Amino acid sequence: MLACVPAPMNENLAPLAALIGTWSGRGHGQYPTIEPFDYEEHVTFTDVGRPFLAYTQRTSHLEDGRPLHSEVGYWRLPRPGWVEVVLAHPTGVAEVTEGEVSGSAIRLRSTSVTGTGTAKEVTALERDFDISADRLRYSVRMAAVGLPLTHHLAAELHRVG
């Protein structure tokens, strides 16, 4: 029987290599239409041997542990310094974001957000990431339910695997 040998990382992904692995930490969420909340988060970026990273994310309420949100998708670098991200949310929202990768900073802005007939209206998302060794910080701004881009989430995660 032949053993599976992992393929080397695609060289185009080098600017995203610091993301690869599993991250966990805590964050805080708020939006004008909801009560503020604290959450625990787990994120995994996986090198699958192709020119993209697979991404999974899940959060749970910090106080009672109930599931809050999750996302799955793919990150790819079609050209130097530029990342494209495609995400699916279980709430019926699909998001396409793009932006710059510059050193330890990633700045993403949605180019398309769409939803199913029953999804809450989300019209724009912006995500900023800063990576420093084994620490990942991010913030998310969202335009939804008739409101303009407004701060929604901020978290600090630490590499756990």
Side-chain angles (χ1 to χ4, degrees):
M1 187 180 292
L2 295 174
C4 289
V5 177
M9 184 179 74
N10 185 288
E11 64 186 38
N12 293 340
L13 293 177
L16 297 178
L19 290 173
I20 296 171
T22 301
W23 304 80
S24 291
R26 293 182 174 175
H28 180 76
Q30 61 189 56
Y31 204 70
T33 59
I34 62 173
E35 289 294 320
F37 60 97
D38 293 316
Y39 60 94
E40 186 166 334
E41 181 168 14
H42 303 280
V43 173
T44 301
F45 290 90
T46 306
D47 175 15
V48 295
R50 304 275 301 150
F52 56 84
L53 297 179
Y55 165 82
T56 61
Q57 179 264 18
R58 63 183 167 83
T59 61
S60 57
H61 198 280
L62 192 59
E63 291 179 16
D64 61 22
R66 74 180 183 278
L68 292 177
H69 183 72
S70 62
E71 304 170 347
V72 296
Y74 300 95
W75 291 51
R76 67 188 195 120
L77 285 160
R79 65 180 188 267
W82 194 256
V83 63
E84 297 174 344
V85 180
V86 178
L87 298 176
H89 304 250
T91 56
V93 172
E95 169 189 355
V96 176
T97 60
E98 299 181 7
E100 294 181 327
V101 178
S102 179
S104 64
I106 301 170
R107 306 289 177 247
L108 300 172
R109 306 297 178 256
S110 61
T111 59
S112 176
V113 181
T114 191
T116 63
T118 59
K120 185 182 294 185
E121 178 197 33
V122 178
T123 55
L125 289 151
E126 295 182 347
R127 300 171 184 249
D128 296 332
F129 295 83
D130 289 297
I131 307 153
S132 176
D134 289 335
R135 186 193 75 224
L136 172 65
R137 289 183 179 161
Y138 73 82
S139 64
V140 176
R141 289 167 302 288
M142 177 174 68
V145 295
L147 296 173
L149 275 171
T150 302
H151 173 74
H152 179 42
L153 304 168
E156 181 172 314
L157 311 179
H158 299 273
R159 187 183 308 275
V160 295

